[in-house]
Amino acid sequence: MGVAMGSIDLAVEPDFRLGPWLVRPSLGMASRDGAEVKLEPRVLQTLIVLVRAEGRTVSRAELMRTAWGLEVGDDAIGRCIGRLRAVLAIDGVIGFETIPKIGYRLNVAGQAADTVVEEPAAVAAAPAPARRSAPYLWAGLSLLLTLSIAGTALLLNRPGDAPPVAQVTPVTTDPGQEVQPAISPGGGQIAYASDRAGQGFDIWVQSLSGGTPVRLTDDPAHDLSPVWSPDGGRIAFVRVPSSGPCQLLVRPVPSGPERLVGGCTTFREVKPAWADNDRLIFADKASAAEPARLWTVALSGADAGTPVPLTSPPAGINGDGDPAVSPDGKRLAFMRHRAVGVSDVIVRDLTTGAEMQVTQDERKLHGLEWSGDGRWLYTSSSRAGDFGLWRVDPEAKAPPLRIAPGLNQLGRIGAGGDRVAAEVRTNRSTLLRLLPDGGTEPVVPPSNRLDWDPDVSRQGAVAFASDRSGMFEIWVADPGQVPSPVTQFAGPFTQSPRWAPDGRRLALVSVVDGSPGLFILDRGSGRLRRVAAEPGAEDRAPAWSRDGQRLYFASNRLDGWRIWITRPPYEQAMPITEAGWRVARESADGRWLYMARDGEDGLWRQPADGGQVEKVADLPNAYDNESWVVGPDGVYLIDRPGNGQARIMLLPSDGGPLRAVADLPDALYKSSLTLDPDGRLIIGKYLGTLVDIVDVRMGPP
């Protein structure tokens, strides 16, 4: 059953002393001896519950009720306790005791279980945070570009180390997009992909000390993901043809003919890495049914062009990607993607094949590279909510260190010498209602962030996913009211809000215990409950039955993706299809269950109470398998004929053929069409992505 929402609001919690540590909940950190360590919101809330207990044992149920506000597994609580032990209990002064099968207890040496919470006046007041400028402008980024940003985590077991200072300056400021930077081995040049020439993305090279960018490729297809060879004389990159999987090419720098050296089997775009001067590493799937793994391909010799598998990810996850080889060529770092928005960093010894997981965030990662001396890894991570730049110890002996905050979202990165190049991006979209005269009107007040994945209740309340707060949460705008967030997951990728017919219950998807799980929010009581939890499973695509008594969803909790249903009290679920299905929604009259398959174009239906499955349309594309909605007139789907354009098609409920009902320029990926109570379509419209590259120089404090 559900439990009451957590009662700990970190923004108003006073600072307090805990042994040698000063804990500052409102800033999300603890400090000691002049150094600071970032603590995730759930970890801080768990700590505060233990402190308030004044030495008594706190049960798991109490932790869930007070700190989490929702039902979670023991693994989630265990990870929080493990994080507290790793950071605060390094010298034996503070202890976090596990009482088997009961709970946890806090011990502080020299304090009789009565840790004193300081009054706010006893601690120097922190400066008020600057207001974030809504539009993405370089002028609005001046704070990021002019401040020296000190690292924010205590380094453990590294005598003499001190958090570095990051000096941030722009590399590109063009109106186009400059993405996927790569710094040369010597640290003097940068390669990146840019659409500044107006015909798609090409590879460009420029000096980091200034000068004119030089165009390296000129092809109608997109050229992406450049990476320098260890000797600095060549660049490998990926070409994305108009159809089919991607190609791997190599070209000398500064000039010379390009050469095709390999290709993908299923992936359209990948990030390659050089294993050495004659081999590349890249991610790919041998088939759509298995997880992605890393492969090597030789550039010369008898086996040239033939992919050889390198990693073996466990079944049931998205797989491995984003390889990065250490400067000495001995270690491979890569991301293991458990699900969309759930990744961690793995380091592999290329001699022995031994692998070690060096982060435990289970959050979204955008980039991964080695420092020039091979001592650190850099990644853009949402481990603190926003996408800041973090430094990771490849030996996992020190906690991740925050180098720069995500004042704007940081994306793919490159590293070399004492510097990191990073994408700084802002994605913008808005929610629009299509009007009968062909026009549109805003559904909610527009923002300069990403608003998407809408759903409208029968009572007119609009729920949608947005990063207006700097991280993805679910927002709701009741009729005549401005939007406000209704979740506080503080970092995990949260999406897919779906209203029950009564307008009180809202199903949604977020990440807890390392996998996307299904939740139900009760608007009246504020209760948020985990639905039919299955540790390690990934749940997606919630949809309510017409009467609100069943909740459909897709899950891989058995072999392959199936459609499941759960009923009140939502503690158990049962499959209703064989493997291979990713989305299911009832028809407006409740007679049919429409379904989309995993990785396959088309729409199917079967009687809602079971029966023969029949294919009824060749849309949606597998890319848009959640971008359709069922209404009284039939099923509305998205068709993408090409050139970035799209249109809305209607499959009539009376059995008529597909017909176009509206043009849909700049439709979002997974637009999640929805209908308002009057039957008018609501869409997510893409407004553009602004991307430039910044140079982050690491220096002494």
Side-chain angles (χ1 to χ4, degrees):
M1 297 293 291
V3 292
M5 289 290 289
S7 59
I8 297 174
D9 184 350
L10 295 177
V12 298
E13 281 288 325
D15 300 344
F16 61 90
R17 290 279 178 187
L18 186 65
W21 293 89
L22 172 61
V23 182
R24 311 190 73 176
S26 63
L27 299 180
M29 64 177 61
S31 61
R32 173 181 174 176
D33 301 327
E36 297 173 335
V37 61
K38 188 75 176 179
L39 292 176
E40 297 80 1
R42 296 297 187 198
V43 174
L44 271 171
Q45 289 167 331
T46 301
L47 175 62
I48 290 169
V49 173
L50 294 172
V51 169
R52 289 177 178 175
E54 299 182 335
R56 69 174 174 83
T57 299
V58 179
S59 69
R60 292 178 176 87
E62 183 178 350
L63 278 172
M64 283 189 287
R65 181 178 66 252
T66 311
W68 292 75
L70 51 90
E71 297 171 345
V72 297
D74 289 345
D75 287 348
I77 298 173
R79 275 192 291 272
C80 285
I81 298 296
R83 172 71 169 151
L84 290 170
R85 286 171 175 153
V87 173
L88 303 181
I90 60 175
D91 53 10
V93 176
I94 298 170
F96 296 90
E97 181 182 359
T98 300
I99 312 299
K101 299 183 179 180
I102 299 177
Y104 300 93
R105 180 173 177 267
L106 171 66
N107 294 307
V108 182
Q111 296 186 14
D114 58 349
T115 304
V116 177
V117 177
E118 295 185 356
E119 294 299 324
V123 181
R131 294 184 61 185
R132 191 194 314 265
S133 175
Y136 177 91
L137 298 171
W138 274 106
L141 195 59
S142 60
L143 178 63
L144 176 62
L145 302 181
T146 57
L147 290 180
S148 295
I149 306 168
T152 58
L154 176 64
L155 300 183
L156 307 180
N157 302 324
R158 296 273 183 153
D161 271 352
V165 171
Q167 302 282 349
V168 186
T169 55
V171 175
T172 67
T173 57
D174 290 347
Q177 298 185 66
E178 289 79 42
V179 300
Q180 302 167 344
I183 297 178
S184 63
Q189 297 186 87
I190 183 172
Y192 53 85
S194 175
D195 63 355
R196 60 162 58 104
Q199 66 164 37
F201 284 93
D202 292 300
I203 306 301
W204 295 71
V205 175
Q206 74 180 69
S207 170
L208 278 169
S209 60
T212 303
V214 176
R215 189 176 182 179
L216 200 66
T217 68
D218 181 4
D219 191 276
H222 290 309
D223 292 338
L224 299 166
S225 297
V227 58
W228 295 84
S229 62
D231 60 14
R234 292 166 295 168
I235 286 179
F237 62 94
V238 173
R239 178 160 291 160
V240 183
S242 58
S243 62
C246 61
Q247 302 169 343
L248 300 174
L249 295 97
V250 171
R251 139 164 224 154
V253 180
S255 63
E258 64 186 31
R259 180 164 67 98
L260 180 66
V261 297
C264 306
T265 300
T266 60
F267 276 7
R268 294 274 294 152
E269 181 190 348
V270 296
K271 177 204 169 191
W274 291 84
D276 50 43
N277 279 311
D278 193 55
R279 290 183 304 150
L280 293 174
I281 300 174
F282 65 100
D284 197 11
K285 286 186 176 185
S287 70
E290 58 186 82
R293 61 170 63 189
L294 297 181
W295 305 72
T296 62
V297 60
L299 276 59
S300 62
D303 296 327
T306 302
V308 177
L310 179 62
T311 63
S312 299
I317 69 170
N318 284 1
D320 300 339
D322 296 88
V325 176
S326 60
D328 62 9
K330 295 181 179 179
R331 292 179 291 178
L332 169 69
F334 62 93
M335 297 184 201
R336 180 150 285 167
H337 305 289
R338 184 169 180 177
V340 175
V342 184
S343 306
D344 273 299
V345 177
I346 309 293
V347 173
R348 178 186 178 97
D349 187 305
L350 287 173
T351 301
T352 66
E355 294 181 357
M356 177 174 61
Q357 182 172 323
V358 299
T359 68
Q360 308 290 332
D361 298 337
E362 297 175 337
R363 296 290 179 89
K364 196 169 187 177
L365 303 176
H366 273 170
L368 181 66
E369 279 293 349
W370 291 85
S371 62
D373 58 8
R375 190 178 182 188
W376 306 104
L377 289 163
Y378 295 109
T379 185
S380 172
S381 170
S382 64
R383 68 189 322 269
D386 61 343
F387 273 97
L389 182 63
W390 293 78
R391 191 175 78 179
V392 175
D393 184 355
E395 299 177 3
K397 293 180 180 178
L401 171 70
R402 185 170 176 146
I403 301 297
L407 299 183
N408 290 82
Q409 189 179 92
L410 298 183
R412 286 270 291 271
I413 64 174
D418 62 348
R419 62 209 316 169
V420 176
E423 297 175 352
V424 182
R425 63 171 59 228
T426 296
N427 298 310
R428 299 178 60 232
S429 66
T430 191
L431 305 179
L432 298 175
R433 179 180 288 108
L434 303 186
L435 302 177
D437 62 3
T440 62
E441 65 180 13
V443 176
V444 296
S447 73
N448 283 292
R449 306 295 293 190
L450 188 64
D451 298 339
W452 70 301
D453 211 359
D455 195 46
V456 184
S457 71
R458 294 179 180 177
Q459 296 74 27
V462 181
F464 59 101
S466 179
D467 64 346
R468 293 178 179 219
S469 64
M471 57 199 78
F472 273 105
E473 303 286 0
I474 302 303
W475 292 62
V476 170
D478 290 305
Q481 303 296 316
V482 298
S484 60
V486 295
T487 64
Q488 297 180 0
F489 285 99
F493 202 50
T494 303
Q495 59 183 319
S496 302
R498 300 294 179 263
W499 288 107
D502 59 19
R504 293 188 301 104
R505 293 167 294 164
L506 186 65
L508 57 101
V509 173
S510 191
V511 177
V512 172
D513 294 341
S515 296
L518 193 60
F519 296 83
I520 295 176
L521 172 67
D522 188 299
R523 294 277 329 271
S525 67
R527 289 184 163 199
L528 184 68
R529 69 179 72 188
R530 180 81 179 264
V531 171
E534 180 74 19
E538 181 179 353
D539 300 335
R540 295 283 186 190
W544 294 91
S545 63
R546 184 184 58 153
D547 59 9
Q549 295 303 305
R550 298 180 303 283
L551 182 60
Y552 299 94
F553 64 100
S555 180
N556 62 355
R557 57 184 64 200
L558 288 179
D559 183 28
W561 286 92
R562 304 166 191 263
I563 304 302
W564 295 67
I565 59 170
T566 181
R567 296 183 174 89
Y570 309 113
E571 295 174 348
Q572 303 293 328
M574 62 176 291
I576 61 171
T577 69
E578 298 297 324
W581 299 95
R582 283 296 294 262
V583 188
R585 294 167 185 159
E586 275 191 10
S587 62
D589 59 11
R591 292 181 54 207
W592 300 100
L593 187 65
Y594 288 92
M595 300 185 295
R597 294 189 64 86
D598 181 27
E600 186 175 341
D601 296 352
L603 188 72
W604 286 258
R605 75 176 185 181
Q606 70 175 38
D609 56 359
Q612 184 67 33
V613 178
E614 60 175 337
K615 189 173 185 179
V616 293
D618 293 328
L619 293 175
N621 186 285
Y623 178 82
D624 278 313
N625 62 9
E626 293 188 42
S627 299
W628 50 280
V629 63
V630 183
D633 297 329
V635 184
Y636 294 91
L637 311 102
I638 290 181
D639 180 27
R640 300 182 189 267
N643 300 319
Q645 300 302 301
R647 57 185 179 176
I648 299 178
M649 310 292 289
L650 174 64
L651 179 67
S653 55
D654 60 10
L658 270 172
R659 58 182 175 88
V661 296
D663 290 329
L664 190 60
D666 301 319
L668 279 174
Y669 165 63
K670 291 190 175 179
S671 302
S672 296
L673 299 177
T674 192
L675 294 164
D676 69 11
D678 296 325
R680 294 174 295 183
L681 281 162
I682 291 174
I683 64 166
K685 178 180 173 61
Y686 175 68
L687 297 179
T689 298
L690 297 166
V691 190
D692 278 293
I693 293 171
V694 296
D695 177 21
V696 185
R697 295 291 299 270
M698 305 300 170

